[in-house]
Amino acid sequence: MMYYRKAIMLQSYLERISPGDTEATLSAKEAFDTQGFELSPEARAQADLKFTYVVTCQIYGKQKEQQKPEAADIAMLMQRHEALRVAFIDVVETLKEGRVHTEYYSKLVKADDNGKDKEIYSVKLPGDPKLGEGKPENQNHAIIFTRGSAVQTIDMNQDNYFEEALKMRNLLEEFYHDHGIRPPTILGVREHVFTGSVSSLASFMSNQETSFVTLGQRVLANPLKVRMHYGHPDVFDRVFHITRGGISKASRVINISEDIYAGFNSTLRQGNITHHEYIQVGKGRDVGLNQIAVFEGKVASGNGEQVLSRDIYRLGQLFDFFRMLSFYFTTVGFYFCTMLTVLTVYIFLYGKIYLALSGAGESIMEKANVLQNTALTAALNTQFLFQIGVFTAIPMILGFILEQGFLRAVVSFITMQLQLCSVFFTFSLGTRTHYFGRTILHGGAKYQATGRGFVVQHIKFSANYRLYSRSHFVKGLEVALLLVVYAAYRYDDGGALGYILLSVSSWFMALSWLFAPYVFNPSGFEWQKTVEDFRDWTNWLLYRGGIGVKGEESWEAWWDGELEHIRTFGGRLMEILLSLRFFIFQYGIVYKLHASGDDTSLT
């Protein structure tokens, strides 16, 4: 936001210089670059009137008490920038009638002339404000301190460029332009993800995000009219939103993806959300596989909670047919179809296993050959050739063609294939499916802090195992086991070529899920790191759990945490129903080993 101040100051200064006076313009720019805010007191005062910057940091008061370096950094920023305000929760404990009485205040402070914090407002709260999720509560307690008719919500991982800041006035003018039946209530802004050069994974994430925030959102806004708010640097009509429940919802668990609910809220209350391509801001995305997996897991869990929310139900009821379908396929439908894709692989393989183990497939094939029923033969020899995970990259390729031209897009695509992007996207397919499906079945999504640091160090084996065991490794082993058993007991349905065509995509999916965390792990094939990983892994397995022991320290504590979602009767029932699929293996063992003699009854 500091760039916006500089832009306004430079603009107001240059307006007083005649357009033909090139030397004066150049000298003004030079003075601006060298002198900074001392360029013109009037321009600075004008900028301070036009813009205020509220940084909301709930724990700033606690950090000051503990004299943490973060508090000193915030204080220094307030001293340097006069228009900067910090909102925080102040917890005051007093002794009343022999009992500790706790009071909560939402406070706004700025730096005074002596560099100390000067309190501007103090609003007494009825109790602890953190009832829901942390991030939206942080926004909600500070929104009352904003002023003006427009508010821009800026994430911590957001960047800006000076030339883009000059366009801010044009963007704000969009509030007064015609954008359909109603004036806009949220102005959408495109992003430039600048972390793509850190690693191959970062470039995949960057390109995927770029295709969504450019090609995707442009179409969502016009003509589909179903663009929402996705945690981007969007500009809100403050008066519209503050009179309709604020800019974020904060119910615990259900509003874990708090950003998109601002869009739901705006649309349900007859707002209009637009998207503008001529202005962009920088954005730092996740760069390590574990960070990406945690982030995608959080988004997938949040989407699972959206399926269960009343907002989606109301939008589905009120949209016309075409907007409803557009909305479905761009929110919950995307994750639902992803889950169905993986479930289809499982159902297909279990069906083939059943036909092979029971002998039904062989007998049907013989009958089809005798009767020369080619349709039945073709149906039995179905192939599962295409790996659906690769198809999630198609919007990205189209975005490349549009932004870079066809030739550069082809080169970029081939380069990404050499960097094993198909393995990464297939792995992401498993992440989305697991977290979305688990949230639908058991609920209880949790906010995951991804950190968004430059993670290019080696990740230990035990950390990878903890993160991917239930979501990828167990499922990947199950698919591999199905394929091996099918290879052993299958009826002759096209020979080796038939088996390869049938299983190539499933093998690719299983191997991607099993080995991607190690292929993409920095220094993953270094011998010394492998030895250290094994030592750390054995220590983790052998360390006993207990009260206060975290999952990172002990296998037992981690396992207890992993089984939290099936502590209830409903959770256990769902897990039992899902596990009944393994009955097919038992069925096959009884038949193939002739454990029951000639008796072929189900009992």
Side-chain angles (χ1 to χ4, degrees):
M1 285 301 284
M2 187 174 72
Y3 290 124
Y4 295 156
R5 289 186 61 183
K6 289 186 177 180
I8 292 294
M9 287 158 56
L10 178 61
Q11 187 180 5
S12 59
Y13 191 87
L14 294 181
E15 278 174 357
R16 283 179 265 148
I17 301 169
S18 61
D21 195 350
T22 313
E23 287 182 8
T25 308
L26 285 171
S27 64
K29 285 180 179 175
E30 286 163 12
F32 177 78
D33 289 334
T34 53
Q35 295 177 27
F37 290 138
E38 278 62 48
L39 178 70
S40 163
E42 292 88 354
R44 184 171 184 175
Q46 187 72 18
D48 287 345
L49 280 172
K50 293 268 186 185
F51 287 91
T52 55
Y53 326 97
V54 178
V55 174
T56 171
C57 177
Q58 280 173 326
I59 57 173
Y60 175 58
K62 193 184 291 183
Q63 287 173 339
K64 273 202 305 182
E65 281 178 19
Q66 297 169 356
Q67 296 183 335
K68 289 197 171 181
E70 292 92 337
D73 293 340
I74 293 171
M76 183 189 70
L77 283 171
M78 282 196 287
Q79 290 161 29
R80 286 191 181 178
H81 309 292
E82 287 180 7
L84 182 64
R85 308 284 181 264
V86 174
F88 66 97
I89 303 292
D90 193 26
V91 183
V92 180
E93 291 183 345
T94 53
L95 203 63
K96 284 187 179 179
E97 299 173 0
R99 293 170 63 187
V100 177
H101 186 66
T102 308
E103 291 181 333
Y104 297 89
Y105 294 87
S106 188
K107 293 194 173 181
L108 187 73
V109 294
K110 68 173 182 178
D112 62 12
D113 296 333
N114 302 318
K116 302 289 183 184
D117 288 355
K118 183 180 178 182
E119 193 177 292
I120 307 169
Y121 296 109
S122 180
V123 179
K124 187 176 180 181
L125 302 169
D128 187 354
K130 197 174 175 183
L131 297 171
E133 298 293 341
K135 187 181 171 187
E137 291 287 25
N138 201 14
Q139 291 179 348
N140 287 340
H141 96 92
I143 192 72
I144 57 170
F145 299 128
T146 57
R147 296 290 177 267
S149 57
V151 61
Q152 185 180 26
T153 51
I154 297 179
D155 283 344
M156 288 289 284
N157 58 336
Q158 193 168 306
D159 193 11
N160 208 344
Y161 315 113
F162 176 69
E163 63 274 15
E164 298 297 328
L166 292 170
K167 304 171 188 172
M168 195 64 193
R169 181 185 170 188
N170 299 58
L171 183 68
L172 293 173
E173 284 291 321
E174 297 284 354
F175 278 120
Y176 305 108
H177 279 250
D178 182 35
H179 290 281
I181 301 170
R182 302 181 187 91
T185 50
I186 300 178
L187 301 175
V189 180
R190 65 170 270 168
E191 291 174 337
H192 168 245
V193 183
F194 59 80
T195 49
S197 59
V198 176
S199 65
S200 59
L201 288 177
S203 70
F204 302 154
M205 197 68 180
S206 170
N207 294 330
Q208 190 180 34
E209 187 74 11
T210 302
S211 71
F212 174 65
V213 299
T214 54
L215 195 73
Q217 290 192 28
R218 185 189 310 162
V219 175
L220 292 187
N222 186 23
L224 298 181
K225 279 295 177 191
V226 289
R227 186 190 185 274
M228 299 298 163
H229 174 58
Y230 305 99
H232 297 263
D234 296 349
V235 179
F236 288 81
D237 181 339
R238 181 180 165 276
V239 177
F240 177 91
H241 284 91
I242 209 164
T243 54
R244 290 165 176 82
I247 60 168
S248 58
K249 286 193 174 184
S251 298
R252 195 174 288 279
V253 180
I254 198 82
N255 296 137
I256 190 170
S257 299
E258 81 292 337
D259 303 293
I260 199 166
Y261 284 93
F264 293 163
N265 216 15
S266 189
T267 305
L268 282 167
R269 285 157 178 76
Q270 299 192 341
N272 184 9
I273 303 170
T274 60
H275 181 69
H276 305 279
E277 289 282 311
Y278 58 79
I279 181 170
Q280 68 176 13
V281 298
K283 186 88 166 178
R285 270 277 169 236
D286 313 279
V287 295
L289 184 68
N290 288 26
Q291 277 186 332
I292 291 169
V294 169
F295 171 74
E296 289 202 325
K298 185 188 82 171
V299 174
S301 298
N303 224 281
E305 294 292 350
Q306 286 172 41
V307 175
L308 311 174
S309 72
R310 65 186 68 182
D311 300 72
I312 292 275
Y313 171 75
R314 286 170 179 162
L315 284 165
Q317 292 280 308
L318 298 171
F319 273 153
D320 60 69
F321 181 72
F322 300 104
R323 274 183 90 186
M324 183 181 69
L325 282 185
S326 304
F327 173 70
Y328 168 75
F329 278 107
T330 51
T331 51
V332 297
F334 171 73
Y335 285 89
F336 187 68
C337 291
T338 301
M339 186 174 70
L340 284 182
T341 302
V342 176
L343 287 177
T344 305
V345 176
Y346 274 88
I347 292 165
F348 175 75
L349 290 177
Y350 270 107
K352 283 286 188 181
I353 284 284
Y354 173 76
L355 289 173
L357 292 177
S358 65
E362 195 171 1
S363 62
I364 294 170
M365 182 69 81
E366 286 173 1
K367 286 179 184 176
N369 290 334
V370 169
L371 298 172
Q372 294 185 340
N373 190 339
T374 52
L376 186 57
T377 308
L380 281 171
N381 289 339
T382 46
Q383 317 299 338
F384 208 90
L385 185 59
F386 293 108
Q387 175 47 253
I388 311 295
V390 180
F391 287 126
T392 57
I394 286 175
M396 187 172 64
I397 298 159
L398 294 174
F400 276 156
I401 293 169
L402 198 66
E403 298 273 325
Q404 302 174 0
F406 184 75
L407 190 63
R408 287 183 68 183
V410 170
V411 172
S412 297
F413 180 68
I414 292 169
T415 306
M416 285 174 63
Q417 290 300 327
L418 294 173
Q419 293 173 331
L420 303 178
C421 81
S422 296
V423 174
F424 169 74
F425 286 119
T426 307
F427 189 80
S428 294
L429 196 77
T431 308
R432 295 193 195 107
T433 300
H434 172 75
Y435 287 100
F436 182 75
R438 197 173 77 172
T439 307
I440 292 287
L441 285 177
H442 305 292
K446 292 179 182 175
Y447 181 81
Q448 301 279 356
T450 53
R452 302 262 167 86
F454 286 96
V455 181
V456 287
Q457 79 266 26
H458 178 76
I459 306 297
K460 292 183 177 179
F461 177 84
S462 58
N464 276 333
Y465 182 82
R466 282 193 297 273
L467 189 56
Y468 304 121
S469 170
R470 308 294 285 171
S471 58
H472 293 84
F473 296 159
V474 172
K475 292 180 172 65
L477 279 171
E478 186 181 341
V479 172
L481 178 67
L482 287 170
L483 290 166
V484 168
V485 171
Y486 180 69
Y489 291 108
R490 69 195 175 92
Y491 47 92
D492 188 22
D493 56 347
L497 181 63
Y499 177 75
I500 290 167
L501 290 173
L502 179 137
S503 64
V504 62
S505 63
S506 302
W507 271 117
F508 184 78
M509 187 176 85
L511 294 174
S512 297
W513 286 6
L514 288 170
F515 296 110
Y518 309 108
V519 172
F520 291 119
N521 195 3
S523 307
F525 301 101
E526 194 178 314
W527 177 248
Q528 186 58 38
K529 297 279 188 191
T530 308
V531 173
E532 289 171 10
D533 281 4
F534 184 74
R535 192 180 299 122
D536 176 72
W537 160 254
T538 51
N539 290 340
W540 178 71
L541 283 176
L542 298 173
Y543 188 77
R544 293 300 301 269
I547 297 169
V549 176
K550 294 180 180 176
E552 295 84 36
E553 300 165 358
S554 158
W555 175 86
E556 196 176 330
W558 168 79
W559 184 247
D560 285 340
E562 281 294 307
L563 297 183
E564 269 181 358
H565 62 283
I566 56 169
R567 300 278 184 227
T568 61
F569 174 75
R572 286 175 182 173
L573 187 65
M574 292 307 299
E575 284 295 308
I576 289 167
L577 289 173
L578 284 173
S579 299
L580 285 177
R581 66 186 185 275
F582 298 119
F583 179 74
I584 289 175
F585 283 112
Q586 178 72 16
Y587 178 81
I589 288 167
V590 170
Y591 264 73
K592 289 296 175 185
L593 298 182
H594 303 289
S596 60
D598 296 327
D599 187 10
T600 56
S601 72
L602 186 67
T603 53

